[in-house]
Amino acid sequence: MIDVAIMGHGVVGSGVAEVLIKNAEHIAKKAKNEINIKYILDLRDFPGLSYSEKFIKDFNIILNDPDVRVVAEVMGGLHPAYEFTKSCLEAGKSVVTSNKELVAQKGDELLRIAEENNVNYLFEASVGGGIPVLRPIAQCLTANDLYEVQGILNGTTNYIMTKMVNEGVAFPEALAEAQRLGYAEKDPTADVEGHDACRKICILAALAFGKHVYPKDVYTEGITKITSADTAYADFAGCVIKLIGRARLTENGKCSVTVYPAFVSKKSQLAHVDDVFNAVAVRGDAVGDVLFYGRGAGKLPTASAVVADIIDAVKHLSSRKYLSWDKAEEGYVTDHTEATVRLYVRAKADKCRDCLKAKAEELFGELQYLGRNGEPDDELAFITPFASEKTLFSQLEKLNGTVLGAVRLLD
Ligand code: HSE
C-alpha cells in the first residue's frame, strides 16, 4: 500500500479524493499498489464527510511522514504551494499538481529539484483539465520538431463567449454560471483577463520547444472588451471570436507567445470548440497537425488528470519521468508588436462615416467592410490588410473616429 497526501480540498482537491475513493479497486490494479489517502491538508473544516478523519492543518505532518511518497498539490496560487512543493521534492516525495500558475512561474526550478532528488513532478492537469495533452507532447510526439502550439485554453472564457454568442446572455450572468459550475478560478480576473490561458501557453511552449517561458514575457489580453457588436461583425466575416493562446518558433530560434481574443474562421476546427471545452492544436514536422479536444475545466475532468498522475508517480517511485525543459536566455520571447496580423476595427465617426472611411483607407489601404443588424449610422467596421501590429495600432491613433473595438485575426 502506498500512502499519498492531498494538499487542498477545493473543487479539484475534493474531486481527487472522490475519484481515489470511488475507483479505489480499479486504481489499485492500474497502480499495482493500493493507494491510501493518508492526509488531506486544508485550513478549513469539512465535518460530515466519510473521510473527515484524514484532514490536517499542519503541512509538516506530511513533510515529516516518510510513508507519504506522493503528494497532490491542488491548492492553487504561488504561495505557499511553491514552498510546500519544493520541500516535498527535497524530502524525496513525488508531487503532482493542477497548479498552472506555479508550473508556469517555477516549472524549470521545480523540475530540476525533482531530478536532483530522483522523484517526479507531474502536472498533466495544469493544461486542458481532463485532456491528455502534456504527455502526448512530451512522449508520443517526441520524434518531431514541434514548431507551433495554439488553442482554446480557458474553459471559463470559452463558456462565457459561447453563452454570449449563442444565447445572448450578458457577460456577468455567464461568468456567474461558470463560477457556479466550478470552472472559474477563485479570482475570475485570471480567467477573463487571460492570465490563466497565459500560464497554460507558457507550459505548452516550454514542453514543446524545451525552454521555459515566463508569463511576464507574454503579451496577454482578455475578453472583457468584447461586445455583442463585435461578435455580430465577426459572424458577418464568417468568424467567431475565441480567446487564443499561441506559441510559435520563429526563424531565429526565438519564440513568439501571445494570448488574445481573435477572429477565428468558422472553417477552422477551433471555431467549433464551444462551452467549457478546450482544444490544443500542435504542429510537428513529421506528424503535421494534431488536435487535442476535451473538457478543459471542472472538478472531475481535472481530478481525472491529477489521479492519473498520482497513479503514474506511484508506478515510478524510483524512476524519473520524461517531462523537463531548460531555462531560456534573455530575449527568447519575441516582441509581439513585430508580428504581422490583420486587424478587425470598429470605430465611431467623429464627423461623418464617409470621412472616417476615407481616412481609414488612406491609413490602411484596401479594407474589407463588415455589417451587422442595427448598425448605427456613425459606426464603421472593417478588416485591415496584413501589417505589423506596431504599424496597425499606431495608424489607429490617427483615425478620425473613436475606436470601439480592435481584434486580431487568427491567420
Ligand atoms: N479556470 C480554468 C478554466 C480552470 O476555466 O479553464 C481550468 O484550468
Side-chain angles (χ1 to χ4, degrees):
M1 185 174 76
I2 301 293
D3 286 333
V4 303
I6 302 171
M7 302 196 293
H9 193 262
V11 173
V12 180
S14 59
V16 170
E18 187 181 321
V19 172
L20 280 175
I21 292 166
K22 187 166 146 280
N23 297 352
E25 208 174 307
H26 149 88
I27 287 172
K29 275 193 201 137
K30 295 277 176 190
K32 298 192 172 31
N33 254 309
E34 201 180 311
I35 296 181
N36 172 51
I37 305 172
K38 190 159 185 187
Y39 308 112
I40 301 177
L41 180 72
D42 204 297
L43 293 177
R44 298 164 295 180
D45 291 315
F46 295 89
L49 291 174
S50 62
Y51 51 90
S52 288
E53 78 289 352
K54 297 181 190 289
F55 282 88
I56 56 166
K57 293 187 186 341
D58 180 3
F59 166 68
N60 288 310
I61 296 173
I62 295 173
L63 186 64
N64 297 326
D65 186 336
D67 289 341
V68 174
R69 306 288 303 278
V70 177
V71 179
E73 183 274 292
V74 281
M75 314 163 66
L78 275 185
H79 304 287
Y82 166 64
E83 290 76 10
F84 288 3
T85 300
K86 196 169 163 204
S87 300
C88 286
L89 295 171
E90 285 168 347
K93 301 178 195 301
S94 287
V95 177
V96 309
T97 189
S98 56
N99 189 338
K100 49 252 161 190
E101 186 174 4
L102 183 56
V103 180
Q105 292 284 1
K106 302 280 187 185
D108 52 347
E109 180 189 343
L110 293 171
L111 282 164
R112 184 181 43 75
I113 296 171
E115 190 174 353
E116 284 165 6
N117 290 278
N118 197 32
V119 289
N120 286 298
Y121 184 49
L122 303 176
F123 38 88
E124 183 64 59
S126 66
V127 179
I131 311 172
V133 59
L134 299 187
R135 262 184 195 69
I137 289 178
Q139 201 172 21
C140 315
L141 298 177
T142 194
N144 288 263
D145 264 342
L146 300 177
Y147 55 93
E148 179 163 349
V149 185
Q150 68 178 14
I152 294 170
L153 305 173
N154 183 266
T156 301
T157 45
N158 207 38
Y159 183 84
I160 291 172
M161 292 300 303
T162 307
K163 283 253 167 206
M164 284 172 71
V165 171
N166 294 354
E167 296 172 34
V169 172
F171 180 90
E173 273 173 60
L175 172 60
E177 183 66 0
Q179 286 174 307
R180 195 187 63 74
L181 292 167
Y183 302 153
E185 299 297 310
K186 258 185 257 171
D187 174 1
T189 317
D191 293 300
V192 297
E193 296 296 357
H195 307 310
D196 178 76
C198 170
R199 292 161 190 152
K200 292 169 180 167
I201 197 66
C202 288
I203 297 170
L204 286 166
L207 205 56
F209 310 143
K211 289 185 187 175
H212 196 102
V213 172
Y214 293 97
K216 70 173 176 46
D217 296 329
V218 176
Y219 175 74
T220 301
E221 187 183 312
I223 61 162
T224 51
K225 291 189 201 132
I226 304 294
T227 65
S228 53
D230 300 317
T231 57
Y233 283 123
D235 186 53
F236 184 95
C239 296
V240 290
I241 302 179
K242 296 281 185 192
L243 184 66
I244 300 289
R246 192 177 203 192
R248 280 175 291 179
L249 278 185
T250 58
E251 276 166 12
N252 50 7
K254 296 187 183 222
C255 186
S256 148
V257 194
T258 51
V259 174
Y260 48 65
F263 272 37
V264 178
S265 164
K266 287 181 193 167
K267 290 182 188 152
S268 150
Q269 284 173 311
L270 289 184
H272 304 283
V273 175
D274 282 338
D275 296 315
V276 72
F277 284 86
N278 283 191
V280 180
V282 181
R283 290 199 158 144
D285 61 345
V287 73
D289 289 0
V290 180
L291 186 74
F292 301 91
Y293 170 85
R295 287 187 183 276
K299 176 174 167 168
L300 293 179
T302 311
S304 148
V306 175
V307 173
D309 274 353
I310 294 177
I311 295 171
D312 211 6
V314 165
K315 283 168 78 178
H316 296 89
L317 284 176
S318 48
S319 59
R320 289 263 312 136
K321 296 286 294 187
Y322 30 77
L323 301 180
S324 71
W325 55 71
D326 298 325
K327 256 194 143 30
E329 63 279 4
E330 198 59 38
Y332 171 59
V333 177
T334 56
D335 174 2
H336 80 278
T337 65
E338 306 285 348
T340 302
V341 293
R342 280 190 300 159
L343 197 62
Y344 148 84
V345 178
R346 178 167 68 94
K348 183 178 180 323
D350 284 344
K351 286 196 187 111
C352 74
R353 194 172 183 272
D354 284 343
C355 318
L356 176 59
K357 207 168 166 181
K359 185 69 181 176
E361 285 178 11
E362 178 196 318
L363 291 169
F364 297 106
E366 198 178 327
L367 302 174
Q368 178 188 343
Y369 290 105
L370 307 177
R372 68 172 169 114
N373 279 341
E375 181 180 342
D377 290 344
D378 59 353
E379 186 172 275
L380 186 70
F382 56 85
I383 292 174
T384 70
F386 278 102
S388 79
E389 288 201 13
K390 195 183 280 177
T391 307
L392 291 171
F393 282 95
S394 75
Q395 300 291 60
L396 271 192
E397 288 172 15
K398 298 180 201 150
L399 268 185
N400 47 358
T402 310
V403 176
L404 303 173
V407 181
R408 296 160 183 87
L409 270 71
L410 192 68
D411 56 90

